Amino acid sequence: MDLATLRDTDFGLLHGAADAYDKLHGEFGQHLENWHTGVDRRTAAAGWTGPAADAATPALRLTTGELTAARTGIGWIGQVLRTGADALVLAQSALRKALEDARSADLTVDEHGTVSGPTPSPADRHDPDHRAARDRTAEALAARISTALAEADTVDRALAARLRHHAARAHDGTALDPAATARDRLDPTLALRPLLDAVMPGADAPPAEVNAWWNGLPTDERQRLIEDRPDLIGNRDGIPATARDQANRILLPRLLARYEGYPPPLDGRTGLKLEGFRRISERLRTEGQDPPVLLLGIGEEGQGRAVLSFGDPDTAQHVTSLVGGMGTELRHIGGADADRARAVYDAAKRADPTRSTASIAWLGYDAPLGADVASRTEAEHGAAAYQRFLAGQRATHQGAPAHVTAQGHSYGSLLVGLAARRPGGLAADDIVLVGSPGTGAEHASDLSVGADHTYVGAARWDYVSQAGWYARDPARADFGAQRFAVPDGSPDGSAHSSYWDGRPCEDRTSVDNIGRIVTGHGDRITREAPRGGRP
C-alpha cells in the first residue's frame, strides 16, 4: 500500500459494508428462525411417518444445516470487514500523525515516505548539533511512516485473503457445508485478532507508548474499539481509566453469561470465578455513586483478575492501589477488598478534604490460597504486572502528576516490595506495608521510594507480621522504615485483617494513618516504635 492510498482512503466505506453484512446476518437469522418454526419443528412434531417421511427427513436436515452454515458465513464476512477496517484506520491514524509531526518540525515527506528538511541556513550548516538533531528527527519520522505503511500492507493482504476465501466458498457451494464451516472456525489463518495485532502496540510495549498510540486515534475510532473489541482495551495499561471502565462494563456481562451457561456442577475454580463476577457486578450496579466506581480490569486468567477504583485515577490528585495477600480471590474485589479500598478513600478525604483521591483494589495476579504462601513465585509474577499498572497510571494521568502510594497487605506486601526492586522501580511516591511477613528486602532503602517514604503498620497480635518469611521483618528497627501506630488487635487471629476497620464505633488509628500517607502527609502520622527499637 502506498502513502497516498493509506493517507486519503475513506475506510468508513468498509465500516458501511460491514454494517450492511451485519444487517443481512440479522435478517437471515430471522429467515432461519422462520424455517425452524414453520417447517422443521412443525414437521418433527406432526408425527409424520412412512416412506415419504423417511425420504423427507434427511432433506429437511440438510436444508437446516445449509441455512445455518450460510448465516454463520455471512456473519463472518461482516466481522472480517469491520476488523479489517478498524486495523486500516489505526494504521492510517499513525501515518497521519507522523505526517503532522513532520509538518510541525518543518520537514517534507514525499510520496515514497522519504523525509527531508529545508535547505539549511549558513548558520545551521556549520552547527553539527543542529544537523544531528534534525537528522534524528527525520529518521524517526521516516521509521514511523514506514512502519505504518508496512502494517497497512500486511492488514490489506490478510483482509483480501480472507475475503477471497469466503467468496470462493460462496462460488463453489462449500459455504453451505456445515463441516467446512466448522473447519473455518478452527483455521488460524482466518482468525480476526492478527488483523488488529498488526497495528496495535505489542503486548510488551511500555504503557507510555500505548497511551501515545491511543491519543493519536480519532475519537470515533477509539469508541469503536471500546465497543467492538473491549477485550483489547479494558485491561491494557496506558489506556485512560474511563475507556477501560467502559470496555470492562461490556466484558463483565459477557463473562457472567458464559460462566452462568456452564452446566452444573461447576468445579471449584470456575464456581469461584462466577461468584467473583457476580459480586463485582453488584458492586457496580448503583448509579450515581460518590465517588464513582470504575472497573479498570476484569478477566478470567488464572484465578481471575479484577481492578476496582473508587474515584478516577486519571484526574485524582492522590492515587493509591492496594494489593491483597494470601487468600485473596476474585470475589473479594467486589467484597472485602473493595470495602478496604473505600475505607482508605474515606480516610484520605478526612486527612485532606480539599483534594481528590482515587483508591484502588488491585488483583492482577494469582494470590496464594494455601501452602503456596511459602513460595515467592506468584509474587514475582505479579510484581511485573503491578509495576506496569502503576506506570500506566502515570502515563494516563491528566494535569500535574498525582501523589501515588503503593499498598501491600500480607503476601501482597512481598509483591509490592519485589516490584519496588525491579529495574526502574515503582512509579510511586510512598509505600505502605501492613501485616507484612517481609518484602524480600533487607532494608527499606532497597525499595525504590527509599526508607523515608516506606511506612509499616504491624499489629501486636498480627502473627503474620512477625513471621519474617521473606527476608527481614519490615516492622523491625534494623529495616529502617517509618512505623505507624495501629490498634493491637485480638489474639484470635483477626488482627491480620483489621487495618482498615473504619466504622465510627471502631478504632480508626490505622486507616487514618494510611489516609495521611496517601494524601502526602506522612509527617502527620501517629508513630509507633519499631520492634527491637527504643520507645
Side-chain angles (χ1 to χ4, degrees):
M1 182 174 292
D2 60 48
L3 187 149
T5 299
L6 180 58
R7 181 192 62 207
D8 300 332
T9 298
D10 179 7
F11 293 115
L13 297 174
L14 280 179
H15 283 119
D19 291 342
Y21 267 95
D22 287 348
K23 181 179 179 182
L24 179 61
H25 179 253
E27 292 174 347
F28 201 91
Q30 185 58 55
H31 173 58
L32 178 59
E33 180 59 29
N34 292 341
W35 165 263
H36 279 309
T37 303
V39 179
D40 203 2
R41 294 170 190 153
R42 181 176 294 178
T43 302
W48 184 26
T49 59
D54 293 342
T57 298
L60 292 173
R61 289 175 180 166
L62 176 63
T63 299
T64 298
E66 289 177 339
L67 290 172
T68 301
R71 179 178 181 271
T72 300
I74 292 169
W76 280 345
I77 293 173
Q79 293 176 34
V80 167
L81 286 169
R82 176 165 285 101
T83 304
D86 284 338
L88 288 169
V89 169
L90 297 181
Q92 183 183 66
S93 298
L95 173 65
R96 288 177 173 175
K97 184 64 169 63
L99 295 176
E100 178 185 334
D101 290 347
R103 284 192 296 272
S104 298
D106 199 23
L107 297 171
T108 302
V109 182
D110 68 15
E111 61 182 5
H112 303 293
T114 302
V115 182
S116 57
T119 303
S121 67
D124 291 343
R125 204 175 296 125
H126 299 288
D127 183 349
D129 291 338
H130 178 85
R131 293 201 311 274
R134 181 173 287 274
D135 288 346
R136 285 194 299 271
T137 300
E139 289 172 6
L141 287 167
R144 287 167 57 190
I145 292 167
S146 176
T147 298
L149 291 172
E151 290 171 344
D153 189 66
T154 298
V155 172
D156 187 47
R157 293 176 185 275
L159 176 59
R162 286 159 174 74
L163 292 175
R164 279 197 298 269
H165 170 81
H166 289 296
R169 287 197 56 212
H171 186 264
D172 64 19
T174 57
L176 300 179
D177 181 355
T181 300
R183 287 193 297 272
D184 273 1
R185 190 183 300 278
L186 301 175
D187 188 343
T189 65
L190 299 175
L192 298 176
R193 178 73 180 257
L195 290 175
L196 282 172
D197 285 347
V199 293
M200 290 184 68
D204 57 351
E209 180 182 326
V210 174
N211 185 248
W213 165 80
W214 179 260
N215 289 337
L217 298 179
T219 301
D220 59 346
E221 186 59 26
R222 292 182 210 160
Q223 190 60 37
R224 187 159 30 237
L225 281 174
I226 290 169
E227 294 175 1
D228 292 348
R229 297 306 306 270
D231 55 308
L232 300 180
I233 304 302
N235 295 292
R236 196 70 193 268
D237 296 318
I239 301 294
T242 53
R244 291 176 67 162
D245 175 65
Q246 187 179 351
N248 288 323
R249 287 174 185 262
I250 296 172
L251 286 175
L252 179 56
R254 296 179 184 176
L255 288 167
L256 270 170
R258 186 190 312 161
Y259 277 74
E260 288 173 342
Y262 289 154
L266 300 181
D267 63 69
R269 175 170 287 193
T270 302
L272 286 173
K273 287 182 186 178
L274 175 56
E275 182 183 356
F277 294 139
R278 283 173 171 166
R279 288 201 180 186
I280 292 168
S281 181
E282 290 168 4
R283 180 70 71 158
L284 296 172
R285 197 162 291 158
T286 303
E287 295 297 329
Q289 298 182 78
D290 183 26
V293 182
L294 278 66
L295 186 60
L296 304 182
I298 194 71
E300 58 183 337
E301 178 187 351
Q303 294 163 194
R305 301 287 187 266
V307 184
L308 201 67
S309 179
F310 291 86
D312 184 348
D314 288 348
T315 59
Q317 293 157 301
H318 305 298
V319 180
T320 183
S321 49
L322 171 64
V323 182
M326 180 180 68
T328 301
E329 299 172 353
L330 189 63
R331 60 195 175 97
H332 295 135
I333 297 298
D337 277 40
D339 293 338
R340 292 168 179 174
R342 177 59 196 254
V344 171
Y345 175 89
D346 291 339
K349 297 302 289 182
R350 289 194 295 271
D352 188 351
T354 66
R355 295 167 71 82
S356 56
T357 297
S359 182
I360 299 167
W362 184 87
L363 182 61
Y365 81 118
D366 285 337
L369 300 179
D372 290 343
V373 72
S375 169
R376 293 169 39 142
T377 301
E378 298 301 344
E380 289 169 348
H381 290 165
Y386 187 63
Q387 182 188 42
R388 176 178 288 268
F389 175 71
L390 293 193
Q393 288 185 353
R394 287 290 196 202
T396 59
H397 195 268
Q398 302 169 22
H403 175 263
V404 176
T405 304
Q407 296 181 70
H409 173 230
S410 187
Y411 187 87
S413 69
L414 170 63
L415 186 153
V416 170
L418 294 175
R421 297 179 67 199
R422 288 177 57 83
L426 278 177
D429 303 288
D430 293 303
I431 287 176
V432 172
L433 310 169
V434 291
S436 175
T439 64
E442 293 294 331
H443 196 272
S445 61
D446 296 334
L447 307 182
S448 57
V449 300
D452 289 344
H453 292 275
T454 301
Y455 298 85
V456 177
R460 176 188 177 190
W461 293 109
D462 181 356
Y463 306 112
V464 174
S465 76
Q466 303 172 36
W469 291 333
Y470 312 108
R472 198 179 303 276
D473 173 4
R476 286 181 55 86
D478 50 6
F479 187 75
Q482 316 301 308
R483 188 177 181 190
F484 58 89
V486 304
D488 287 345
S490 169
D492 64 4
S494 62
H496 186 58
S497 301
S498 64
Y499 294 96
W500 302 271
D501 290 345
R503 292 184 290 275
C505 61
E506 294 172 332
D507 189 334
R508 297 196 302 203
T509 301
S510 175
V511 75
D512 277 347
N513 275 325
I514 295 173
R516 293 178 188 117
I517 298 164
V518 164
T519 55
H521 297 298
D523 57 329
R524 287 167 36 192
I525 60 171
T526 53
R527 295 182 178 273
E528 185 168 345
R531 291 174 181 149
R534 295 179 180 178

